[in-house]
Amino acid sequence: MLRSAMAGLLCLLLWLGVCAAADLTKLEWSDCGSDSGLTIHQIDISPMPVVVPGDLHLTINASSTRKQLNQMKLSVHVKRDTFLLNIPIPCLFHVGSCTYDDTCTLLATMQKENWAGIMGDIGRQIQQMLASVGITTYCPAVVQSIDLQDYVLKMPAVPSILSWFAEGNYEATATAVDTATGEQMLCLNLKLTVKEKKEPCTGWLCGRRRRSQH
């Protein structure tokens, strides 16, 4: 169970890192009704705010008492927090508030179709990260625990086709449901802040801008 659930969760975390009121200085997360056989002990992302493009350091510690789980459906609901209201984020190019019908093949599909021009590499990085702790198959999955400590992932720049995702504060709810039984296996709420990396201004025009500000 843990392999397919974690694959879906990692996709969500990294997508928020690309796309994601005061800025948060630490990832906020809470369990909203996961199965009693799955326990998330720790999730952490640094730096916070997440800066894109740039390095993202990910820590996840989780354990399971279930023997195995096969296919799951992952549903993600994302909203952007603003001063006035929370704005729901739609699903576009398989990114946003989307439903993924098969967590068993999710990483392979991401790499094959390369959603939004960036998710192929993100899927590849997640696959390599899971392999680093001995996880190479996802369904059926027999994993008792997963312990990822400060794993570094390369976050890409936000592509132009997702320009409507601006830097800011984002909140997401992710649920994973067993396709065969309809049981909810995973439910997590996540809050984080995203900042775009600002390149230093150089050249004669920058000097003119600085002078005009005084």
Side-chain angles (χ1 to χ4, degrees):
M1 175 179 72
L2 203 53
R3 296 184 187 198
S4 53
M6 285 301 100
L9 174 58
L10 290 168
C11 292
L12 167 66
L13 287 172
L14 295 196
W15 174 82
L16 283 172
V18 173
C19 303
D23 292 346
L24 298 176
T25 58
K26 185 175 179 60
L27 175 72
E28 295 183 4
W29 69 276
S30 61
D31 190 297
C32 50
S34 296
D35 182 82
S36 59
L38 174 62
T39 303
I40 309 295
H41 303 287
Q42 180 186 15
I43 303 176
D44 191 42
I45 288 176
S46 64
M48 186 61 64
V50 175
V51 178
V52 292
D55 289 349
L56 180 147
H57 297 251
L58 177 64
T59 293
I60 294 182
N61 184 274
S63 59
S64 173
T65 58
R66 285 202 168 218
K67 292 182 179 180
Q68 72 175 43
L69 188 71
N70 293 311
Q71 185 185 63
M72 288 193 295
K73 177 183 289 188
L74 175 68
S75 297
V76 179
H77 300 279
V78 184
K79 58 185 178 181
R80 184 184 178 196
D81 295 337
T82 68
F83 289 109
L84 298 178
L85 74 165
N86 295 327
I87 302 173
I89 302 298
C91 182
L92 184 63
F93 301 105
H94 302 283
V95 175
S97 298
C98 304
T99 296
Y100 309 98
D101 290 328
D102 186 2
T103 56
C104 300
T105 60
L106 179 57
L107 292 179
T109 303
M110 288 172 60
Q111 293 177 71
K112 180 181 179 181
E113 299 181 0
N114 193 24
W115 304 331
I118 57 172
M119 297 304 287
D121 182 64
I122 287 178
R124 179 187 59 79
Q125 290 188 68
I126 294 174
Q127 193 169 46
Q128 291 177 343
M129 179 172 60
L130 292 175
S132 74
V133 291
I135 300 174
T136 56
T137 59
Y138 311 111
C139 297
V142 182
V143 177
Q144 299 305 313
S145 64
I146 182 170
D147 188 14
L148 287 162
Q149 296 293 324
D150 200 36
Y151 193 96
V152 179
L153 296 145
K154 302 292 185 182
M155 303 306 298
V158 178
S160 59
I161 58 175
L162 296 179
S163 59
W164 43 277
F165 281 125
E167 60 181 11
N169 299 326
Y170 289 87
E171 180 177 353
T173 299
T175 58
V177 175
D178 186 307
T179 304
T181 67
E183 294 179 90
Q184 181 169 282
M185 296 290 101
L186 176 74
C187 182
L188 286 178
N189 288 322
L190 305 161
K191 293 182 179 181
L192 57 81
T193 298
V194 177
K195 293 285 188 182
E196 290 189 86
K197 184 177 181 180
K198 305 298 184 185
E199 297 295 338
C201 186
T202 59
W204 66 272
L205 185 58
C206 295
R208 295 188 61 180
R209 288 177 178 172
R210 284 193 291 266
R211 288 192 296 271
S212 66
Q213 294 173 353
H214 295 287

